[in-house]
């Protein structure tokens, strides 16, 4: 189950592995990210099958959105009747999937388990903690993530797997090189530019904090003499 663009990218290697083993699965998309240009394009360009079930939940406050997801996910999973439900990360889609699955006979697997920022003001921190404690098996990306789980008393159902982001980069690098025109568009040379990613609301919606990030990145870029590319998928 997934609901956002990062989840599509991070779960792509898992989906491919299931297909390589001829293991049947049903792909449920909550619709947490619902823009066509920023949604279906990922399935098309990454050569993934389209979701079997698109719930189309859309936006809303955290409580409203999660509540809608719980209702719709329960309907979908009751119809699918899965043995396992896999969720990835820390989004509201993940929390909704965890809550619904924990009330069913299905088992819950959490990919990217054990990550902690120790900042409980961030909604995603609450999502990942609750999901970890509801899961039947936790797939931690690193030993430190597994250690975080151990401090919370979770030790007997944890597997350290590595990070699917690394698998995604490895699998998609050739595709990106063949499909992207960004280097020509901005007159860039390979390995002679920096890429900035900043998207957390706590960073980009706080003016002073965002200004500090930009200034810091600018100083770093000046020190190495490289331009910075900052892909922004949404302006608010």
């Amino acid at each position: 189950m997934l609901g956002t663009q990062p989840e599509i990218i991070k779960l792509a290697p898992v989906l491919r592995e299931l297909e390589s083993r001829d293991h049947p699965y049903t792909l449920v998309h909550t619709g947490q990210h619902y823009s066509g240009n920023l949604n279906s394009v990922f399935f098309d360009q990454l050569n993934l099958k389209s979701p079997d079930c698109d719930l189309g939940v859309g936006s809303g406050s955290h409580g409203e959105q999660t509540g809608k997801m719980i209702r719709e996910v329960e309907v979908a999973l009751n119809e699918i009747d899965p043995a396992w439900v896999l969720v990835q990360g820390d989004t509201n889609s993940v929390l909704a999937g965890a809550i619904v699955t924990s009330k069913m006979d299905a088992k819950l697997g959490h990919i990217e388990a054990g990550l902690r920022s120790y900042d409980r003001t961030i909604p995603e921190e609450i999502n990942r903690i609750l999901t970890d404690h509801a899961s039947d098996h936790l797939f931690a990306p690193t030993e430190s993530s597994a250690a975080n789980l151990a401090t919370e008393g979770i030790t007997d159902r944890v597997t350290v797997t590595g990070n699917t982001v690394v698998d995604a980069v490895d699998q998609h690098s050739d595709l990106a090189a063949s499909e992207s025109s960004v280097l020509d568009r901005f007159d860039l040379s390979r390995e002679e530019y920096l890429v900035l990613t900043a998207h957390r609301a706590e960073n980009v919606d706080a003016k002073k904090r965002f200004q500090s990030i930009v200034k810091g990145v600018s100083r770093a870029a000046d020190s190495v003499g490289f331009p910075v590319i900052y892909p922004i998928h949404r302006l608010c």
Side-chain angles (χ1 to χ4, degrees):
M1 195 182 85
L2 50 77
T4 66
Q5 287 107 39
E7 289 170 272
I8 300 171
I9 295 171
K10 293 178 181 181
L11 278 175
V14 177
L15 300 179
R16 293 192 182 99
E17 186 65 23
L18 290 172
E19 291 172 359
S20 72
R21 300 185 183 200
D22 292 324
H23 196 297
Y25 68 91
T26 302
L27 184 58
V28 176
H29 193 319
T30 67
Q32 181 174 339
H33 283 180
Y34 51 89
S35 167
N37 289 336
L38 296 174
N39 192 348
S40 60
V41 67
F42 281 85
F43 293 100
D44 294 339
Q45 293 190 354
L46 299 181
N47 297 318
L48 300 173
K49 78 168 187 174
S50 297
D52 299 287
C53 183
D54 194 335
L55 304 182
V57 171
S59 61
S61 67
H62 282 285
E64 178 186 13
Q65 185 183 64
T66 306
K68 288 179 181 178
M69 287 179 186
I70 290 173
R71 181 185 63 206
E72 299 300 326
V73 167
E74 183 176 50
V75 172
L77 294 188
N78 278 331
E79 182 176 338
I80 297 167
D81 190 25
W84 279 84
V85 175
L86 294 179
V87 294
Q88 190 281 328
D90 54 19
T91 66
N92 288 340
S93 297
V94 170
L95 178 61
I99 291 173
V100 172
T101 306
S102 70
K103 309 291 184 179
M104 303 175 62
D105 291 333
K107 300 294 186 181
L108 176 67
H110 186 199
I111 300 169
E112 202 179 71
L115 271 62
R116 296 290 184 270
S117 67
Y118 298 102
D119 183 351
R120 293 174 70 91
T121 66
I122 300 175
E124 289 83 359
E125 179 77 351
I126 304 302
N127 291 349
R128 61 173 71 106
I129 291 171
L130 295 177
T131 300
D132 281 341
H133 284 265
S135 294
D136 296 283
H137 204 91
L138 299 97
F139 303 101
T142 64
E143 294 290 350
S144 62
S145 299
N148 291 339
L149 295 169
T151 64
E152 298 173 14
I154 304 174
T155 58
D156 61 343
R157 55 189 193 274
V158 179
T159 300
V160 177
T161 60
N163 199 324
T164 59
V165 170
V166 177
D167 298 311
V169 170
D170 182 59
Q171 292 180 9
H172 301 152
S173 58
D174 290 342
L175 177 64
S178 64
E179 296 291 335
S180 176
S181 60
V182 67
L183 297 183
D184 292 336
R185 191 187 318 163
F186 294 104
D187 193 25
L188 298 171
S189 300
R190 296 176 66 88
E191 300 184 7
E192 293 185 1
Y193 63 94
L194 306 177
V195 176
L196 167 65
T197 175
H199 61 277
R200 290 278 185 186
E202 293 78 14
N203 289 328
V204 299
D205 291 347
K207 184 176 181 180
K208 289 185 178 179
R209 181 176 295 177
F210 186 54
Q211 286 176 332
S212 296
I213 291 172
V214 172
K215 288 178 181 178
V217 172
S218 179
R219 287 196 296 268
D222 288 342
S223 69
V224 296
F226 287 169
V228 177
I229 299 297
Y230 177 21
I232 305 175
H233 71 263
R234 178 173 56 200
L235 293 175
C236 299

